[in-house]
Every structure is written in structure tokens, then in C-alpha cells.
């Protein structure tokens, strides 16, 4: 008969407490260990490819769960490209942020689209930061509208 933590009568008191301590420490460290592997996705359009490292926010996890996706990427304003998602992402935990910089990837909650910033921008209400482009923004400088593929890495 296997010994389990639910059956303390089969263990010595010391053995039970050691097992209980181990189980409790695992319960607290396992979720943190799982987050050590970053969520990353590849974005491809018009022969261009770049990688986005997503943050550990509810909205980024929501996007990651939708992958893979086939969208359209297009120019918007002078500093960004956008792509409309099949549905809006969660706004849970969203709020103002600072340190805005080219290379950030956000969602604009009112429209339900992805925003890829290739030039400086300022936070505005409704933006939720999802992550950052790894390796540079050069692919985003290609002007036009193209099919866009988003896939998980790992």
C-alpha cells in the first residue's frame, strides 16, 4: 500500500512533517518555476520575421492561448503597425504604465487590436502592454498591409 501525505498514521510524525514541508514548498515554488520559461511568439509577414517576448500578464497569457493566428498587419499613424485579433483580450490587471519605447507590443482594448510600436509613443488609456520585440524593430519599418502569422515558440 503506497504511503501518502493524506495518511499520516502510516508515517512517523517527523516523516509526515518533512513530507508536508516539502509539499508546501513545492506548491509555492512550482508556479514560479513555470513562469521562468518566457512566453514568446514569432511574427511573420512579407518575408519579415521577428520575435516577441510576452510579459506575464493576464492579457499576454490570453493572447498566447489564442496562438497560432493568421491576421493582417497594417500601418497606423506614424509610429505603429496594428493587427485586429479575433476577439478582445482580457483587461484584468491592466493599468497605466511608463517607460514607453519603440519595440513594445500592446493591445488597444477599445478596438481589440495588437499594436506594434516601431517609434516612440506615449501611454494612452486603453493600451495594455503585452511584451517587447526581441532583436530590433527593422521588420516593422516595411510600409503596407500584409498577411501576418503569429506562432508560439516552445
Amino acid at each position: 500500500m503506497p504511503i501518502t501525505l493524506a495518511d499520516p498514521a502510516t508515517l512517523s510524525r517527523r516523516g509526515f512533517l518533512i513530507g508536508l514541508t516539502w509539499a508546501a514548498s513545492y506548491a509555492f515554488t512550482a508556479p514560479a518555476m513555470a513562469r521562468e520559461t518566457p512566453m514568446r511568439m514569432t511574427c511573420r509577414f512579407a518575408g519579415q520575421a521577428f520575435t516577441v517576448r510576452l510579459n506575464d500578464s493576464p492579457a499576454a497569457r490570453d493572447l498566447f492561448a489564442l496562438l497560432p493566428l493568421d491576421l493582417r498587419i497594417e500601418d497606423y499613424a506614424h509610429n505603429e503597425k496594428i493587427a485586429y485579433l479575433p476577439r478582445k483580450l482580457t483587461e484584468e490587471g491592466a493599468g497605466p504604465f511608463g517607460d514607453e519605447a519603440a519595440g513594445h507590443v500592446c493591445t488597444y482594448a477599445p478596438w481589440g487590436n495588437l499594436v506594434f510600436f516601431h517609434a516612440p509613443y506615449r501611454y494612452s488609456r486603453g493600451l495594455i502592454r503585452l511584451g517587447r520585440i526581441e532583436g530590433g524593430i527593422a521588420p516593422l519599418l516595411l510600409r503596407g498591409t500584409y498577411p501576418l502569422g503569429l506562432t508560439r515558440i516552445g
Side-chain angles (χ1 to χ4, degrees):
M1 178 171 160
I3 298 174
T4 66
L5 290 178
D7 188 13
T10 61
L11 294 173
S12 69
R13 182 177 179 166
R14 181 171 183 248
F16 176 73
L17 291 175
I18 289 170
L20 188 60
T21 302
W22 177 86
S25 72
Y26 179 79
F28 287 107
T29 59
M33 289 168 36
R35 280 181 292 209
E36 287 179 16
T37 302
M39 295 180 294
R40 296 172 65 222
M41 66 180 184
T42 299
C43 306
R44 297 181 196 286
F45 71 95
Q48 308 290 310
F50 57 95
T51 301
V52 174
R53 182 182 182 132
L54 298 170
N55 59 34
D56 190 28
S57 68
R61 289 190 300 272
D62 196 11
L63 172 61
F64 198 68
L66 290 175
L67 300 178
L69 288 171
D70 290 316
L71 309 171
R72 291 194 67 72
I73 193 167
E74 61 188 77
D75 300 311
Y76 185 81
H78 65 281
N79 64 341
E80 63 193 80
K81 284 193 172 298
I82 63 172
Y84 287 92
L85 293 166
R87 66 169 174 78
K88 293 180 178 183
L89 301 177
T90 183
E91 295 181 42
E92 179 187 341
F97 57 84
D99 72 331
E100 304 93 316
H104 286 162
V105 177
C106 299
T107 184
Y108 183 60
W111 293 357
N113 64 306
L114 287 178
V115 183
F116 301 90
F117 288 102
H118 56 77
Y121 72 101
R122 295 189 61 142
Y123 170 80
S124 64
R125 185 180 165 133
L127 275 180
I128 302 170
R129 188 174 301 156
L130 301 172
R132 179 157 186 76
I133 295 171
E134 296 179 329
I137 58 156
L140 296 175
L141 301 178
L142 178 65
R143 305 290 293 171
T145 301
Y146 304 95
L148 169 69
L150 305 177
T151 56
R152 289 181 185 204
I153 297 175

